[in-house]
Amino acid sequence: MINSYEGHDDSEVAVAAVRAGATVVRELYGRRLARIDKGAGDFATTADVEAEQAILDVIRAARPGDSVLGEEGGQQGSARAERQWLVDPLCGTLNYAVGTMAVAVNVALRGGAAAVADPFGNEVFFTDGATAWIRSEGADARLEPTAASGLVDVNLDPPFPHAGTFRAVDLLAHPGFAARFRPRVLSTTLALAWVAAGRRAAYVTDGGDLSGSVHFAAGIALCRAAGCVVTGIDGGPVGGPGGGLVAAADGVTHDQLMSLIRG
């Protein structure tokens, strides 16, 4: 059997994987889909499950010795595997379930390549771990972050583990925020890809250790490779005791947001 991925680097595998997932997401959009209750108001749909399976098929064909941690299927493959792929087949499930196209398909090799697909924008954002690109209509272009828009996406979805010291709603209500930025609430990590692409000035979310999250790993990798400033909400490393995430297009924007958060 010929391996159609022979000679492909990890970034191309990631691109192929998110494209496979995005195809499923588009094909099932608008249909009445079964829901799988996860508790606390969270759920998955048939589209989540089938998109993850399409992604797994690509990764297994291309990198059969690697393990996978999927949002829906959990850990698959050897626990002793040196390489692990993180898969979020449909980030923005609630948006999708009510007919909103603000969703993303995320695939990341831990510590390496990553890709994020916008299924309805027909765009793929990807990185080999060193540089970041957007592929649209068959052409690739380097991602160039900029804070010119002044738009900051703030995740308002629970849980809020640092509510005692940080609340996103308090950041939005700060007079200094309105003086410098304009808020957006997208409720999908597609917003992180938009920071890397210069369509957003920054992204802010509460949370625990997001460094190995299937939801955030691909977007974090994109932002870092594009040259963004990426930290926890305390300004320390992502995954540190501060938790959460602040991804900014540049150092000035990051400093301004950190000043507001600390204030």
Side-chain angles (χ1 to χ4, degrees):
M1 180 177 180
I2 297 173
N3 185 348
S4 61
Y5 298 97
E6 186 175 356
H8 287 208
D9 64 22
D10 289 331
S11 63
E12 289 299 334
V13 172
V15 168
V18 295
R19 279 182 161 172
T23 296
V24 174
V25 170
R26 284 193 302 273
E27 289 176 347
L28 295 181
Y29 179 73
R31 301 187 189 183
R32 186 181 296 276
L33 301 174
R35 296 190 180 189
I36 303 159
D37 184 27
K38 295 183 176 182
D42 192 15
F43 62 88
T45 70
T46 304
D48 297 73
V49 175
E50 293 191 9
E52 181 164 304
Q53 185 58 56
I55 292 167
L56 289 175
D57 289 345
V58 171
I59 295 174
R60 285 170 178 160
R63 303 291 189 266
D66 294 355
S67 69
V68 176
L69 178 62
E71 165 73 1
E72 308 310 329
Q75 176 68 39
Q76 301 187 48
S78 173
R80 295 192 295 266
E82 294 182 0
R83 294 161 36 106
Q84 182 185 55
W85 295 83
L86 306 171
V87 175
D88 182 1
L90 179 51
C91 188
T93 299
L94 182 55
N95 290 343
Y96 184 81
V98 297
T100 302
M101 295 181 179
V103 300
V105 179
N106 299 316
V107 171
L109 175 63
R110 190 183 290 272
V116 175
D118 176 353
F120 300 103
N122 291 315
E123 295 177 325
V124 176
F125 308 84
F126 66 99
T127 176
D128 57 5
T131 55
W133 304 78
I134 179 173
R135 182 167 296 171
S136 179
E137 298 182 352
D140 293 349
R142 286 283 293 268
L143 293 182
E144 298 181 357
T146 171
S149 71
L151 302 177
V152 175
D153 260 293
V154 180
N155 182 18
L156 300 180
D157 290 337
F160 308 116
H162 300 93
T165 56
F166 169 78
R167 290 189 65 88
V169 291
D170 294 334
L171 174 64
L172 297 179
H174 195 296
F177 185 92
R180 172 63 181 85
F181 303 109
R182 290 293 179 270
R184 292 294 183 271
V185 179
L186 192 62
S187 296
T188 168
T189 52
L190 181 61
L192 274 170
W194 286 357
V195 174
R199 301 175 188 176
R200 292 289 192 270
Y203 175 87
V204 180
T205 184
D206 194 359
D209 179 357
L210 303 182
S211 60
S213 164
V214 296
H215 305 292
F216 291 94
I220 290 172
L222 279 173
C223 286
R224 284 176 170 161
C228 301
V229 180
V230 183
T231 70
I233 55 173
D234 64 348
V238 178
L245 179 66
V246 178
D250 55 38
V252 171
T253 301
H254 184 269
D255 288 348
Q256 291 172 333
L257 284 169
M258 291 309 307
S259 178
L260 295 172
I261 289 170
R262 289 166 176 158

